[in-house]
Amino acid sequence: MRYCISKIVKWHPGLRNFYSANSTVMSHILQKNSNGLTSTSDVIDGTISKMFATSCEKFPADEPVSNMLVDSFGRQHTYLRISLTERCNLRCQYCMPAEGVELTPSPQILSQKEVLRLANLFVSSGVTKIRLTGGEPTIRKDIDEICLQLSKLRGIRTLAMTTNGITLANKLPRLKECGLSLLNISLDTLVPAKFEFMTRRRGHERVMKSIDAAIELGYNPVKVNCVVMRGFNDDEICDFVELTREKPINVRFIEFMPFDGNVWNSKKLVSYSEMLDIVVRSNKGLQRIQDHPSETAKNFRIDGHQGTVSFITSMTEHFCAGCNRLRLLADGNFKVCLFGPSEVSLRDPLRCGADDNELKEIIGAAIKRKKAAHAGMLDIAKTPNRPMIHIGG
């Protein structure tokens, strides 16, 4: 048995130091496992990924927030994601069906004034981070003015945006001037032909240009979101990791998640433990970063790399216990859980003349109904939910 472990550690250069530092734990594993180890995946799936589990207890508690933002389990929701539009200039296969989706008519989309009023309600109650999503937020004509006004809200610490990067490079200098402080750029392949297949559009070079533009403007890190799908881009994991060697890029590998119309299948899912295994095999000096309790990603440094690598494990290791996120959809619906079908309209009472206190009561009641955790992986796939293009990235 000990010979088997030694062979695995030798095969995994990145595990040599880890084994030395955790020899007592590894010895315990050897004693507990009477059936033998048959593959590296046995170690990764059963043990190593758990050893890399987040340790958050040293972090101080965040400042208290309004009771409106506290659910029945004591979670404080200080992070609001606002979808500015359902429209997009790509047609990503995991985001919408091939035939497209019916979009909400423009008059029913929140206006700039409505977005700002609702955002102010949340920020004045304790929200400190806002992320703008879509659709593709950069195609909204008033995106720079929205950023400028949101960044001026008293209490806001971080104004972030998730974008596909197609039109970002030219707009980013102005967006930064308007207060955009954090950037996530979605990119699922480094191969132009694959990009065109997945997105049903061209534009790979423009996305790469936007990543470089963000680095030049001083965004650090530039977060690159990569949804990993078996048989499509799982062979590019190490290529994505290589992006972090010389540049301040945080590559975020995301487990493939089910939404209406994206033909999710468990066979397409590449789990966190499997992705971690691939990274460990090819990179020495992998070190776990201690994360904030509300962090959605499991973050790692690699010796000699300027950037970092992260894994978002929504399907295999959910992070519901520390969830601090809320969602305001482009049509004004309010959603407290990405995978939960429940929504409540804030647009309708807003347009019917509801005052701030009435809106806060609706928001608070929805948050109090938030469940302790979302359903299991297979149950999520069976639960009706809107396409991601409607919910917001």
Side-chain angles (χ1 to χ4, degrees):
M1 179 70 64
R2 191 171 301 278
Y3 173 77
C4 184
I5 285 288
S6 299
K7 293 287 285 184
I8 291 172
V9 171
K10 183 177 180 181
W11 185 32
H12 283 253
L15 290 180
R16 291 173 188 158
N17 294 336
F18 185 83
Y19 175 77
S20 299
N22 296 277
S23 56
T24 303
V25 178
M26 296 301 285
S27 297
H28 179 68
I29 295 169
L30 293 175
Q31 295 171 4
K32 294 286 287 185
N33 189 343
S34 60
N35 296 322
L37 291 170
T38 59
S39 70
T40 303
S41 295
D42 291 335
V43 178
I44 296 295
D45 289 337
T47 307
I48 299 301
S49 63
K50 293 180 181 178
M51 291 179 183
F52 278 134
T54 307
S55 176
C56 305
E57 55 271 17
K58 293 183 180 180
F59 280 91
D62 290 329
E63 296 179 6
V65 302
S66 164
N67 182 60
M68 179 190 88
L69 298 177
V70 182
D71 68 14
S72 59
F73 302 96
R75 292 174 294 198
Q76 299 184 7
H77 297 78
T78 56
Y79 180 5
L80 176 66
R81 302 174 73 100
I82 302 177
S83 176
L84 295 180
T85 178
E86 296 176 351
R87 299 184 180 279
C88 187
N89 42 16
L90 297 180
R91 294 292 182 270
C92 297
Q93 294 189 33
Y94 59 79
C95 190
M96 67 168 67
E99 64 275 14
V101 296
E102 184 176 352
L103 301 180
T104 302
S106 296
Q108 296 178 31
I109 298 295
L110 292 178
S111 67
Q112 179 186 141
K113 184 178 180 180
E114 290 169 332
V115 167
L116 295 175
R117 181 180 172 192
L118 291 173
N120 185 57
L121 280 181
F122 283 96
V123 173
S124 64
S125 298
V127 162
T128 58
K129 179 178 180 178
I130 290 178
R131 177 176 296 280
L132 302 177
T133 70
E136 172 48 41
T138 61
I139 68 174
R140 182 149 171 167
K141 295 180 180 180
D142 56 354
I143 179 65
D144 53 349
E145 184 63 22
I146 289 176
C147 284
L148 180 61
Q149 296 305 320
L150 288 176
S151 68
K152 292 180 178 179
L153 294 179
R154 185 176 180 181
I156 194 74
R157 298 176 188 169
T158 304
L159 180 59
M161 183 169 68
T162 297
T163 168
N164 61 31
I166 293 292
T167 65
L168 180 67
N170 293 332
K171 297 182 178 183
L172 191 53
R174 174 58 181 160
L175 291 174
K176 186 175 183 182
E177 290 177 358
C178 291
L180 186 67
S181 56
L182 188 63
L183 197 60
N184 289 48
I185 301 176
S186 298
L187 180 65
D188 302 315
T189 178
L190 299 174
V191 181
K194 279 188 183 181
F195 180 91
E196 188 172 343
F197 170 77
M198 172 54 64
T199 66
R200 306 184 180 103
R201 297 290 188 274
R202 295 179 181 178
H204 184 268
E205 291 184 1
R206 282 182 281 173
V207 180
M208 298 304 295
K209 181 180 179 181
S210 291
I211 293 173
D212 289 337
I215 293 172
E216 291 174 5
L217 285 170
Y219 285 92
N220 187 356
V222 175
K223 297 186 177 183
V224 175
N225 292 348
C226 176
V227 177
V228 180
M229 292 158 281
R230 192 179 308 282
F232 173 69
N233 62 353
D234 53 324
D235 61 333
E236 295 185 63
I237 289 176
C238 291
D239 295 330
F240 270 97
V241 172
E242 192 62 24
L243 292 178
T244 71
R245 184 180 296 276
E246 305 292 341
K247 297 179 179 180
I249 291 175
N250 170 223
V251 172
R252 298 158 65 83
F253 295 113
I254 303 172
E255 291 181 336
F256 184 35
M257 296 176 281
F259 295 97
D260 281 8
N262 74 348
V263 198
W264 184 88
N265 187 309
S266 61
K267 294 180 180 179
K268 297 179 183 179
L269 173 68
V270 183
S271 70
Y272 158 55
S273 59
E274 187 175 349
M275 291 188 282
L276 179 62
D277 187 5
I278 293 170
V279 175
V280 167
R281 291 188 192 190
S282 303
N283 296 274
K284 298 180 180 180
L286 191 69
Q287 301 175 15
R288 188 75 166 84
I289 301 172
Q290 190 178 45
D291 302 318
H292 189 276
S294 62
E295 176 64 75
T296 61
K298 294 175 173 61
N299 301 296
F300 294 81
R301 292 191 184 92
I302 301 175
D303 285 350
H305 285 229
Q306 186 175 348
T308 54
V309 174
S310 304
F311 302 88
I312 298 179
T313 63
S314 304
M315 302 306 294
T316 62
E317 294 186 23
H318 71 73
F319 30 80
C320 300
C323 181
N324 70 338
R325 287 159 294 285
L326 304 169
R327 291 174 179 268
L328 178 61
L329 280 55
D331 64 1
N333 275 15
F334 179 55
K335 195 174 179 72
V336 297
C337 176
L338 173 62
F339 296 112
S342 298
E343 299 178 7
V344 60
S345 178
L346 298 182
R347 179 200 65 203
D348 293 347
L350 179 64
R351 292 184 178 181
C352 288
D355 61 26
D356 287 356
N357 288 332
E358 291 170 324
L359 291 170
K360 287 181 177 180
E361 287 181 8
I362 297 171
I363 294 168
I367 293 174
K368 293 296 187 293
R369 293 193 295 268
K370 185 171 182 176
K371 296 181 179 179
H374 62 62
M377 179 171 65
L378 296 179
D379 289 331
I380 290 174
K382 299 175 183 177
T383 303
N385 201 357
R386 289 212 265 175
M388 195 63 176
I389 196 77
H390 282 169
I391 297 172

